[in-house]
Amino acid sequence: MRAMVYRGPYKVRVEERDVPRIEHPNDAIVRVTTAAICGSDLHLYHGMMPDTRVGMTFGHEFVGVVHEVGSSVERLKPGDRVMVPFNVYCGSCWYCARGLYSNCHNVNPNATAVGGIYGYSHTCGGYDGGQAEFVRVPFADVGPSIIPDWMDEEDAVLLTDALATGYFGAQLGDIVEGDTVVVLGAGPVGLFAAKSAWLMGAGRVIVIDHLEYRLEKAREFAHAETVNFAEHDDIVVEMKRTTDHLGADVVIDAVGAEADGNFTQHVTSAKLKLQGGSPIALNWAIDSVRKGGTVSVMGAYGPMFSAVKFGDALNKGLTLRMNQCPVKRQWPRLFEHIRNGYLKPSDIVTHRIPLEHIAEGYHIFSAKLDGCIKPLIVPGTS
C-alpha cells in the first residue's frame, strides 16, 4: 500500500509499505477513503513532539471502509463505512468507564502522561495513523462508529477530531447565556470553538489571530467579531478595552504549542525545544479573561514544561480546564447539530490533496500558503 512516512523534521514522503495485518482479535483493518492534516500534525512535522520516530505514518483524522476484522469483533463487518475517533482507547478501564477516553490507561506505555493517539509519536503509543491507504484500528468494537447514510464523508472526517475538539473547548468554558467568549486562533479548532460558543448561549464571540484570511473565515463561518493581534501593541490591553475593562468571561486557547506573538517564547519552544510549547496564547488567555473567569485549553502542548503565568491565574481566581478531547462522547449531540443544519463542518475545507502529493500538502499547510485552513488527504487520486 501507499503511506505517508516521516523522515525527519520538515521531511515527509509517500512510500510503499505492507498492508497492516490483524494483530489482535479485537482489531480491524480500515481502507482509508479520506484523511486530514491536523494543525497538531504540524507539531510532529516540525520535530516538536518527543519520540517521533523516522518511519512513522501520521494521521489521526480519517474515515474509511472496513476491510477486515479480527475474530472477536462483533459490531463491524467488512464493507461498513466508519469514522474513527483520534483516541485509541480500551472502553473498559477506570477512565473509559467515566467517558475520559483520551485518558485511557491501557493503550500506551506512557499512559500516566497521555493516552493513545493514532499517528502521533511513540509518546502517544506508537500507533501508525491514517494518512495511508490502510490503517490498523485496535479495539474496533469500541472507537469506530458507522457513518450514518445521511452524513457527508467530509463532514464525518472532521468529526474525528477538529469539530469534536472545538466543541469540547466551548463545553469546557462552561458558557452561560450572554457570556463574552474570546477564541485565540482562527484555525479549524478555533473556528469550530467559536461556532459552538453560539450554540451554548454566548452573547458575544471574538476570534483573535494574525492571519487576515483566517479572520475573514471566522467572520464568515463563525459570525464572530475578529481582532488581528499584529495590529495592536498589546493584545491583552485591547481585549480589556473592548470588554469594558473587565475581561472576557471565557477565553479558549485553540492555538497551542506553536503560537506566534512573542519572539523569545517562539524561539525557546519551536526552535530550541526548551519548552513543551510556546505559552504565549495561554498567557494571553490568562491575562485577558476577567477575574473569576474560565480559560479552556484546546491547543496541543508537549509533555515538557512551559512558562505559564500560573501566579496570575491563581491571583485572579481563574478556572483552568483542559484535556485531549474524548471524541466519541461528543458525537451524539454533534450528529444532531449537523443533521439539523446548525453545523456544516466541511465548509472550512480549503484543499483536497491526493495522498501521493501529501508532502506538498504539509508544506502548504505549515507555511500558511494559498489561503489554507483545512487540507484533506484523499488516497488513490494521484
Side-chain angles (χ1 to χ4, degrees):
M1 70 166 186
R2 305 292 282 168
M4 168 271 186
V5 176
Y6 176 68
R7 286 295 165 193
Y10 293 88
K11 296 176 183 174
V12 299
R13 66 190 186 201
V14 176
E15 296 182 2
E16 194 67 26
R17 305 285 293 269
D18 292 338
V19 174
R21 59 183 179 81
I22 299 289
E23 297 180 14
H24 186 280
N26 290 334
D27 287 351
I29 305 300
V30 171
R31 177 174 61 80
V32 178
T33 51
T34 303
I37 303 176
C38 178
S40 58
D41 285 330
L42 298 181
H43 306 330
L44 304 170
Y45 179 67
H46 296 157
M48 291 190 65
M49 190 69 181
D51 209 5
T52 301
R53 301 184 186 178
V54 168
M56 185 169 210
T57 295
F58 299 165
H60 55 270
E61 296 177 289
F62 60 91
V63 298
V65 177
V66 176
H67 176 70
E68 183 182 4
V69 296
S71 58
S72 296
V73 175
E74 297 178 344
R75 297 180 181 174
L76 298 179
K77 63 182 185 306
D80 285 341
R81 292 173 65 236
V82 291
M83 48 204 293
V84 183
F86 76 78
N87 322 110
V88 181
Y89 62 102
C90 72
S92 57
C93 71
W94 190 93
Y95 297 96
C96 288
R98 289 156 179 79
L100 300 169
Y101 309 137
S102 55
N103 306 110
C104 178
H105 217 50
N106 286 334
V107 292
N108 183 1
N110 305 306
T112 54
V114 62
I117 301 175
Y118 291 97
Y120 214 76
S121 82
H122 280 67
T123 298
C124 298
Y127 299 92
D128 274 327
Q131 291 168 5
E133 291 182 315
F134 293 88
V135 60
R136 183 177 74 91
V137 175
F139 301 101
D141 277 336
V142 177
S145 284
I146 293 175
I147 300 173
D149 291 338
W150 52 265
M151 186 178 289
D152 292 341
E153 179 154 312
E154 292 189 354
D155 290 333
V157 75
L158 293 173
L159 277 160
T160 63
D161 180 4
L163 172 57
T165 295
Y167 191 80
F168 184 56
Q171 272 187 332
L172 291 186
D174 279 336
I175 297 166
V176 300
E177 188 172 353
D179 270 355
T180 294
V181 178
V182 168
V183 178
L184 297 170
V189 170
L191 293 171
F192 287 135
K195 188 93 170 181
S196 301
W198 292 118
L199 296 174
M200 296 175 194
R204 190 179 178 196
V205 179
I206 305 168
V207 175
I208 299 174
D209 204 300
H210 69 296
L211 298 171
E212 194 52 46
Y213 77 91
R214 292 194 170 196
L215 292 172
E216 182 180 347
K217 191 67 176 180
R219 293 189 290 270
E220 178 249 321
F221 174 77
H223 310 294
E225 301 171 49
T226 59
V227 177
N228 187 330
F229 71 74
E231 296 175 353
H232 299 275
D233 292 334
D234 188 329
I235 190 60
V236 172
V237 171
E238 174 61 17
M239 282 299 94
K240 289 290 180 64
R241 187 197 64 76
T242 196
T243 54
D244 296 329
H245 301 283
L246 290 175
D249 300 295
V250 177
V251 179
I252 300 170
D253 171 8
V255 181
E258 296 190 70
D260 289 312
N262 182 292
F263 179 76
T264 301
Q265 297 284 15
H266 183 72
V267 169
T268 57
S269 56
K271 303 302 180 186
L272 301 178
K273 314 291 193 291
L274 297 176
Q275 300 189 71
S278 168
I280 186 63
L282 180 52
N283 286 338
W284 284 348
I286 290 170
D287 286 341
S288 60
V289 74
R290 67 165 167 77
K291 287 180 280 190
T294 299
V295 173
S296 165
V297 185
M298 287 300 98
Y301 290 86
M304 292 174 60
F305 88 97
S306 295
V308 176
K309 301 174 79 171
F310 187 74
D312 286 358
L314 169 70
N315 293 316
K316 292 178 69 175
L318 303 185
T319 298
L320 306 181
R321 302 191 71 193
M322 65 208 78
N323 201 352
Q324 294 282 355
C325 176
V327 170
K328 197 169 181 178
R329 208 173 76 192
Q330 317 304 318
W331 281 355
R333 186 165 296 176
L334 288 173
F335 279 21
E336 290 306 307
H337 285 326
I338 293 170
R339 190 166 197 173
N340 291 330
Y342 299 135
L343 287 170
K344 182 59 178 170
S346 55
D347 281 350
I348 72 162
V349 174
T350 53
H351 292 68
R352 295 163 180 85
I353 299 168
L355 175 63
E356 290 294 327
H357 298 164
I358 195 168
E360 182 67 9
Y362 268 90
H363 173 65
I364 291 171
F365 195 31
S366 171
K368 309 292 189 294
L369 301 175
D370 195 31
C372 187
I373 293 177
K374 187 64 178 179
L376 300 185
I377 301 300
V378 187
T381 57
S382 59

